[in-house]
Amino acid sequence: MIIVGSGPAGLTAAIYTARARLAPLVIEGEPSSTSDQPGGQLMLTTDVENYPGFPDGVMGPELMDNFRAQAQRFGATTLTRKVAKVDLSATPRQIWIDDATKPEPDFTATAVIIATGAQSLMLGLPNETELIGHGLSTCATCDGFFFRDQEIGVVGGGDSALEEAIFLTRFASKVNVLVRRDELRASKIMQDRARANDKIHFVWNTVVTEYLGDSKLSGVATKDTVTNTAGTMELAGLFIAIGHKPSTQLFVDQLEIKPNGYLVTQPDSTRTAIDGVFACGDVVDDYYRQAITAAGSGCMAAIDAERWLEEHHSG
Ligand code: NDP
């Protein structure tokens, strides 16, 4: 049993499969400033207040350390390396670590659980990683609560940006939506809802050029995309909502991928079209994208995998 990915989905699958005595190997990814650091997106957050069981909240990295320790306690092995290539058509399934050009795979597995997650697209500006969780966020559901009665910004003009902006009006005194063109990409119905909301203010033809504030965001430097005029805005918080990118590059041409980039699983299941290959968490979820839903789907993948192994490989 090999699990690829070590966010809430992968490590929950590890806890369940370890407790089912399947001795899972979790290939975690490697530390980096982007999505493939071990532990997934929660490693880039600070306070997590919506994960059930923690009435006083918990720090994202601490929560993931706990997931990992729990999986290891039941016999899961974790490997802090990157998968370079998979061959899911071979039996058993083949996995290469670090270098895709090696003639032989490093591991083979009867069952594989894919939990490679997704990353929020970011602006790529200096100090971005450091400011996440310190005024900069990619999740209104998670962090909106921290900005009660304050003026904040949302970057983007799609459905995600407007959904986040509308949600954030429950907390913030004013939500500036920074749109790089003079029109929105969002659906008409979301546009109507956002335009009807008094707390939402559109800032057209505007891109963020710099995050202001060292250890905590205090505002942004901006540029008008038509006139090139530079400006600044004081903001207590900024939400980046310019889309997500699921981590599916390893599976292109092997598994079915939706036009929006997410892996396809069978309805109400984590089974993929390949026998013994399961997918869970944000790499399949283009809708909920929460740690708790990822963890739930990791549990589903573990149970699906256990039952599949029992049916096909008992004894
Ligand atoms: P989209 O790709 O639809 O929109 C991305 C937005 O971000 C666009 O307005 C784009 O501008 C802007 N953008 C991209 N890069 C930058 C940048 N570097 N700086 C500033 N702005 C930038 O992504 P979404 O996540 O909004 O939506 C993805 C899909 O999910 C869509 O199909 C959407 O309909 C769906 N969805 C539906 C929801 C609902 O129905 N309630 C909620 C959320 C998502 P530009 O237009 O200029 O390219």
Side-chain angles (χ1 to χ4, degrees):
M1 163 70 64
I2 290 188
I3 297 168
V4 186
S6 59
L11 290 176
T12 302
I15 292 167
Y16 273 76
T17 51
R19 286 179 49 80
R21 297 266 172 272
L22 293 173
L25 169 67
V26 183
I27 305 176
E28 297 193 290
E30 276 177 345
S32 83
S33 59
T34 56
S35 73
D36 47 12
Q37 77 283 4
Q41 296 183 76
L42 282 188
M43 297 303 284
L44 296 174
T45 62
T46 50
D47 297 288
V48 178
E49 290 191 336
N50 57 5
Y51 201 88
F54 296 89
D56 301 320
V58 58
M59 299 302 272
E62 186 191 341
L63 181 61
M64 294 326 300
D65 282 349
N66 289 345
F67 268 65
R68 198 168 184 243
Q70 195 173 349
Q72 288 170 338
R73 180 181 152 212
F74 294 110
T77 308
T78 51
L79 178 69
T80 314
R81 303 278 286 281
K82 254 180 125 158
V83 173
K85 181 175 134 184
V86 296
D87 184 350
L88 301 177
S89 61
T91 306
R93 314 299 174 208
Q94 301 183 327
I95 295 185
W96 282 257
I97 300 293
D98 296 338
D99 176 3
T101 62
K102 284 179 284 192
E104 295 298 322
D106 295 282
F107 296 103
T108 58
T110 311
V112 177
I113 294 179
I114 297 167
T116 46
Q119 66 187 111
S120 296
L121 296 178
M122 298 300 290
L123 300 181
L125 296 172
N127 217 13
E128 192 158 64
T129 311
E130 292 77 6
L131 286 173
I132 288 184
H134 302 278
L136 188 64
S137 172
T138 55
C139 177
T141 311
C142 318
D143 298 332
F145 193 73
F146 301 120
F147 298 100
R148 268 164 296 174
D149 303 320
Q150 302 187 68
E151 180 168 347
I152 58 172
V154 173
V155 179
D159 281 327
S160 294
L162 297 194
E163 195 171 70
E164 302 269 271
I166 292 165
F167 179 79
L168 288 165
T169 60
R170 295 185 197 185
F171 312 100
S173 54
K174 181 177 177 186
V175 180
N176 299 284
V177 181
L178 284 69
V179 185
R180 66 178 173 183
R181 295 185 290 142
D182 62 357
E183 60 178 331
L184 297 164
R185 183 181 289 275
S187 55
K188 180 78 175 54
I189 184 164
M190 293 296 280
Q191 294 197 25
D192 291 346
R193 257 182 235 162
R195 287 180 205 274
N197 191 313
D198 289 344
K199 283 192 179 175
I200 294 181
H201 171 71
F202 287 99
V203 187
W204 301 107
N205 298 319
T206 299
V207 288
V208 173
T209 54
E210 194 186 334
Y211 300 125
L212 304 178
D214 293 330
S215 54
K216 190 175 182 316
L217 183 105
S218 59
V220 291
T222 59
K223 187 179 83 174
D224 186 303
T225 52
V226 177
T227 63
N228 272 338
T229 315
T232 55
M233 292 179 78
E234 261 184 51
L235 299 169
L238 185 71
F239 289 78
I240 309 293
I242 59 173
H244 290 85
K245 187 172 178 288
S247 303
T248 52
Q249 56 281 7
L250 289 170
F251 315 109
V252 173
D253 298 330
Q254 303 195 49
L255 290 173
E256 194 183 343
I257 296 178
K258 289 192 222 169
N260 66 3
Y262 288 79
L263 289 184
V264 174
T265 49
Q266 291 170 17
D268 301 323
S269 160
T270 62
R271 289 179 183 233
T272 68
I274 298 182
D275 229 17
V277 178
F278 305 84
C280 56
D282 281 14
V283 74
V284 293
D285 176 12
D286 57 7
Y287 189 74
Y288 298 105
R289 299 189 183 118
Q290 300 300 304
I292 184 68
T293 50
S297 117
C299 164
M300 289 166 63
I303 291 174
D304 286 345
E306 271 170 50
R307 295 197 176 150
W308 179 83
L309 282 167
E310 235 167 60
E311 277 166 35
H312 298 271
H313 293 270
S314 56

